[in-house]
Amino acid sequence: MSHKTDQEPNDLKDDAHAASVIPESIADGVDEDVVEPNRRLFTGWQFLLFAALAIAYSSFHLISLNVYPMETWSFRIVHIAGALILGYGLFAGARFADDDHQASGDWIKWLSYALLIPAAYTLAQVFLMHQTLSGEAMRIDPNVENWHYGYPLMATTAGAIVLSWFYRQARHRFNPADLVLMVCALASAGYLLVAYNTNIRMSTGTSFAPSGISWAAIAGSLLILELTRRVAGLALVVISAVFLTYVFAGPYLPGFLGYPGLSLQRFFSQVYTDAGILGPTTAVSSTYIILFIIFAAFLQASKVGDYFVNFAFAAAGRARGGPAKVAIFASGLMGMINGTSAGNVVSTGSLTIPLMKKVGYPARSAGAIEAAASTGGQIMPPIMGAGAFIMAEVTGIPYTEIALAAVIPAILYFASIYFMVDFEAARKGMRGMRKDEIPLFSKLVKQVYLFAPIIILIVALFMGYSVIRAGTLATASAAVVSWLSPNKMGFRAILKALQIAGTMSIQIIAVCACAGLIVGVISLTGVGARFSSLLLGLAGVSQLLALVFAMLISILLGMGMPTTAAYAVAASVVAPGLINIGIEPLIAHFFVFYFAVVSAITPPVALASYAAAGISGDNPMGTSVASFKIGLAAFIVPFMFFYSPAMLMEGSPMQILRVGLTATLGIVLLSGMVQKWFFGPVNLVQRVVMLVGALFLIYGGIYTDIAGLAIGIVLFMMQRKMHGGGSKTAQAG
């Protein structure tokens, strides 16, 4: 018998006292704000100042999106500048001073203060240039732009960035080098706002563009890259640097990589427009993403995340390997409102990973399951980690259509993880949690109204409301619904939610702006078109070979990047090539999106797996290999989009139903093959047969489905005969 069965006498004893010991909640703290290692923790007036800035930033977006819209480019420039100012205030560029690291000397502090003088001078010049352009002058004197604005801005920005790398101080103190960077962000954005609100805007990308635009764009790009390093690590910065190097090294490269070349001024005068940084990625981050971050913050402030996790424990906690199944459900629910795989791991994994270890999972398996489940949150409708909004922006396909198309792939992904977990629990004889270890389901059902904001969001979207209107309604409903729960949101709680949203948004906005820089390089140099021609050549040999190549490029581009940036870059490089070889745009973009998502659990650089390993205490590389194995279905399913479009809801209802059911059965066989278990242990020959049956069923063709079902039935009969429906489970314990 399994360990769970062995525990039953104890469970019966415990049940007698269950009413007095059953916990009301075991998920307290899931909704707490996760504080990054390099985030400053202010006190006193500094805390109040940056809290007010964060609240103002979130409120600005709510007002601009719903009440008083701004001109598009101006809105996006302010959106990025606000994130830069908040980001440099809240995130340090170096380690904090502590017992192991001494505070920096006074000379860095005074040098930083000295840089404030040229920084303030460039900001003053912006106001003077604005007055010049407001008069009769059509443009500004180039000498003024270069000597009084451009050169001091560049020297100050570069100098302050370098100083910030060496400036070490206590966690609650502010850094004058970062104050300089905040002023530089204002000076850069200020000039662009002035220039782009005149006829000068028409000259971008030409030799007639004023040099001030290029200086502002270079400084803005440096500020974006440095903030991205602070909030998302070096990977995206290195990839951006490679692409930027290509702009100027490209003319000297051989073969398909070569291109005629762009001058420094022409490139940077155009990259800070809607051809690059202000393009699709920032369009999405300044509208849908920021709005859904505010929505998530309102849910967080009303403790809905705690309820989601408690609900998952009550629903699945007593099943074998219970905490692992809870991790799947909780991460799926949290993933709908959480924009990053690694962030999802940190919020739910801090609770589920220790509990998985408690019931017998090795640290590696516990971390891998949480990483794979949290990554799946990015493909879980309706929000899908914000990647769906970028897909809608890039392809022009309605968001509701994209969310519907994601349903079957999301079911397959989570079914795969579920059966991987279930078979591993059966093979190792793991128990579920006892009744006295989890909240009562009957009590939690009474608070099911807390799902109302997400239901309102989905209903509003499918009733035809715009995404912005639906998101705003859902946000307002989160505050209203909280009044029915113990965590009522008053005025202070709403301000707290807006503050959390402003802080949470910094990473994704920096990442989207940085991805926009890469997208700008791709569009302005034409390197994406050359990749497309390469894919077209491969497709002439084999379409499968072209798809494999596209998969590898998508994963490579996504390594170390948050999902949103990974998809944005891969969609610019890879998706056009897939469309050119005859693949439908929705299928091509979903193919790329899936691999951008699973790059978070793909060795050697797997952000979600690394975050999980930090909690479980296991080796990061070992955890990433294990999570890759658990998420294996995600590497097969995208190929099936191509061979069976019904998986993306393209086809008749009967065809979609057949493909969905048979693919799910295929996932069960695939999970059994990986875990060496079906109704009992399986030998090598049976595993090979299971793999063949799984691929037949996932493929989606009528004849392959029949063959796969036949294999599945034969395996089922053999296993039932050999193991009697699981009665010999104890053998594997």
Side-chain angles (χ1 to χ4, degrees):
M1 302 293 279
S2 70
H3 285 202
K4 187 178 176 185
T5 310
D6 293 341
Q7 293 275 338
E8 281 174 2
N10 292 331
D11 283 351
L12 290 170
K13 268 188 233 173
D14 292 334
D15 285 350
H17 306 285
S20 60
V21 294
I22 287 173
E24 288 287 321
S25 167
I26 60 170
D28 294 329
V30 169
D31 277 313
E32 294 302 315
D33 192 17
V34 177
V35 180
E36 297 82 354
N38 67 329
R39 196 202 300 178
R40 297 186 175 99
L41 297 177
F42 291 121
T43 56
W45 68 268
Q46 289 180 328
F47 170 79
L48 292 174
L49 172 65
F50 282 98
L53 285 174
I55 291 165
Y57 186 65
S58 299
S59 303
F60 158 75
H61 285 89
L62 280 176
I63 293 165
S64 296
L65 292 172
N66 291 286
V67 182
Y68 189 74
M70 283 178 70
E71 189 277 327
T72 305
W73 280 18
S74 299
F75 175 60
R76 294 176 191 175
I77 290 166
V78 173
H79 167 74
I80 293 172
L84 289 172
I85 291 165
L86 259 181
Y88 283 116
L90 293 173
F91 292 89
R95 289 178 180 172
F96 294 112
D98 53 28
D99 294 337
D100 298 321
H101 303 94
Q102 294 298 313
S104 306
D106 284 344
W107 68 273
I108 290 189
K109 180 174 76 173
W110 293 114
L111 190 54
S112 300
Y113 279 124
L115 284 177
L116 263 179
I117 298 168
Y121 181 74
T122 58
L123 186 58
Q125 285 298 320
V126 170
F127 289 103
L128 294 173
M129 288 187 279
H130 174 59
Q131 289 178 340
T132 303
L133 289 172
S134 299
E136 294 182 4
M138 294 299 293
R139 61 181 297 144
I140 302 154
D141 181 355
N143 286 323
V144 172
E145 287 185 314
N146 290 331
W147 291 100
H148 295 271
Y149 175 74
Y151 296 150
L153 177 64
M154 281 304 305
T156 307
T157 303
I161 287 172
V162 172
L163 281 179
S164 73
W165 296 342
F166 302 98
Y167 203 117
R168 210 169 261 135
Q169 62 189 149
R171 191 164 191 167
H172 64 279
R173 297 180 67 85
F174 188 55
N175 179 337
D178 286 340
L179 179 60
V180 174
L181 293 175
M182 292 163 76
V183 174
C184 290
L186 273 175
S188 170
Y191 180 92
L192 293 172
L193 285 170
V194 168
Y196 287 164
N197 281 303
T198 68
N199 290 332
I200 289 175
R201 179 195 294 211
M202 307 300 292
S203 67
T204 56
T206 70
S207 53
F208 300 103
S211 57
I213 290 180
S214 299
W215 292 123
I218 294 170
S221 300
L222 284 174
L223 291 165
I224 289 166
L225 288 168
E226 169 60 11
L227 184 59
T228 303
R229 181 191 72 81
R230 295 187 187 191
V231 298
L234 265 175
L236 183 53
V237 177
V238 169
I239 292 169
S240 302
V242 169
F243 274 91
L244 284 170
T245 303
Y246 174 72
V247 173
F248 307 107
Y252 308 103
L253 295 177
F256 82 99
L257 285 173
Y259 86 106
L262 286 166
S263 69
L264 186 81
Q265 182 173 347
R266 285 191 66 179
F267 172 75
F268 277 104
S269 71
Q270 198 165 5
V271 80
Y272 219 113
T273 68
D274 58 5
I277 292 170
L278 302 183
T281 53
T282 297
V284 173
S285 75
S286 64
T287 51
Y288 308 139
I289 291 177
I290 186 75
L291 185 61
F292 280 98
I293 287 173
I294 294 169
F295 175 50
F298 269 70
L299 291 179
Q300 190 171 318
S302 57
K303 301 292 182 187
V304 171
D306 282 356
Y307 175 75
F308 282 174
V309 177
N310 282 321
F311 189 88
F313 270 105
R318 299 200 73 190
R320 62 187 178 196
K325 290 173 182 172
V326 169
I328 299 167
F329 291 121
S331 297
L333 289 169
M334 291 292 285
M336 291 193 295
I337 59 171
N338 192 310
T340 65
S341 303
N344 205 355
V345 169
V346 173
S347 60
T348 56
S350 55
L351 179 69
T352 58
I353 289 173
L355 285 171
M356 280 190 261
K357 291 167 71 176
K358 184 178 172 184
V359 299
Y361 280 94
R364 179 164 300 179
S365 289
I369 290 164
E370 179 57 48
S374 292
T375 298
Q378 304 294 293
I379 56 170
M380 184 78 173
I383 298 172
M384 297 165 62
F389 300 124
I390 291 183
M391 197 184 299
E393 184 77 20
V394 171
T395 62
I397 297 167
Y399 166 76
T400 48
E401 198 175 313
I402 289 169
L404 260 181
V407 170
I408 292 177
I411 290 170
L412 294 179
Y413 185 86
F414 281 101
S416 166
I417 300 173
Y418 180 88
F419 286 108
M420 289 274 192
V421 163
D422 189 58
F423 290 149
E424 182 176 8
R427 179 165 56 85
K428 293 182 176 176
M430 292 175 184
R431 70 170 179 90
M433 298 175 74
R434 295 191 310 272
K435 188 176 180 180
D436 64 341
E437 292 179 320
I438 57 176
L440 273 177
F441 189 75
S442 56
K443 280 191 176 181
L444 287 170
V445 165
K446 292 173 184 173
Q447 286 185 282
V448 77
Y449 55 79
L450 288 172
F451 280 101
I454 288 172
I455 294 167
I456 287 169
L457 170 67
I458 296 167
V459 170
L461 286 170
F462 284 94
M463 281 176 64
Y465 285 85
S466 70
V467 175
I468 289 170
R469 183 58 54 85
T472 305
L473 282 172
T475 303
S477 70
V480 172
V481 165
S482 75
W483 279 83
L484 303 173
S485 76
N487 302 294
K488 296 178 177 64
M489 287 187 73
F491 182 68
R492 290 186 68 177
I494 289 171
L495 289 181
K496 178 67 176 174
L498 290 171
Q499 181 205 342
I500 291 169
T503 306
M504 282 170 57
S505 66
I506 293 168
Q507 185 199 46
I508 196 74
I509 292 167
V511 159
C512 283
C514 196
L517 188 61
I518 298 171
V519 170
V521 173
I522 293 164
S523 62
L524 295 174
T525 61
V527 71
R530 284 185 282 282
F531 266 103
S532 294
S533 65
L534 184 65
L535 278 178
L536 202 59
L538 284 172
V541 179
S542 162
Q543 281 195 318
L544 180 61
L545 185 63
L547 287 170
V548 170
F549 183 75
M551 173 192 77
L552 294 173
I553 294 293
S554 299
I555 291 173
L556 186 66
L557 289 172
M559 281 186 180
M561 279 205 231
T563 304
T564 315
Y567 167 66
V569 175
S572 299
V573 176
V574 181
L578 294 177
I579 293 166
N580 283 344
I581 66 175
I583 297 174
E584 290 290 319
L586 181 65
I587 296 169
H589 279 271
F590 252 101
F591 184 91
V592 168
F593 177 60
Y594 238 73
F595 286 115
V597 168
V598 298
S599 64
I601 55 168
T602 307
V605 183
L607 291 184
S609 303
Y610 289 0
I615 298 169
S616 70
D618 191 66
N619 174 269
M621 186 56 67
T623 302
S624 64
V625 171
S627 54
F628 171 81
K629 184 176 83 170
I630 288 168
L632 187 64
F635 295 86
I636 296 172
V637 169
F639 288 93
M640 301 309 112
F641 301 159
F642 175 68
Y643 293 108
S644 180
M647 276 196 188
L648 296 180
M649 300 289 187
E650 294 193 355
S652 67
M654 283 305 295
Q655 190 181 9
I656 292 167
L657 183 63
R658 174 181 63 79
V659 166
L661 288 174
T662 55
T664 304
L665 291 172
I667 289 296
V668 174
L669 288 181
L670 183 67
S671 303
M673 184 277 297
V674 172
Q675 294 292 14
K676 309 174 193 174
W677 189 271
F678 200 33
F679 286 96
V682 293
N683 58 37
L684 181 61
V685 174
Q686 288 173 324
R687 289 180 73 199
V688 172
V689 173
M690 287 174 91
L691 178 61
V692 173
L695 293 176
F696 277 167
L697 286 165
I698 295 170
Y699 181 81
I702 186 73
Y703 297 114
T704 53
D705 278 353
I706 292 168
L709 282 170
I711 290 171
I713 290 166
V714 170
L715 282 166
F716 175 78
M717 300 295 286
M718 285 172 62
Q719 284 278 300
R720 292 285 290 187
K721 188 175 179 181
M722 288 171 65
H723 304 291
S727 62
K728 297 184 182 179
T729 308
Q731 291 177 28

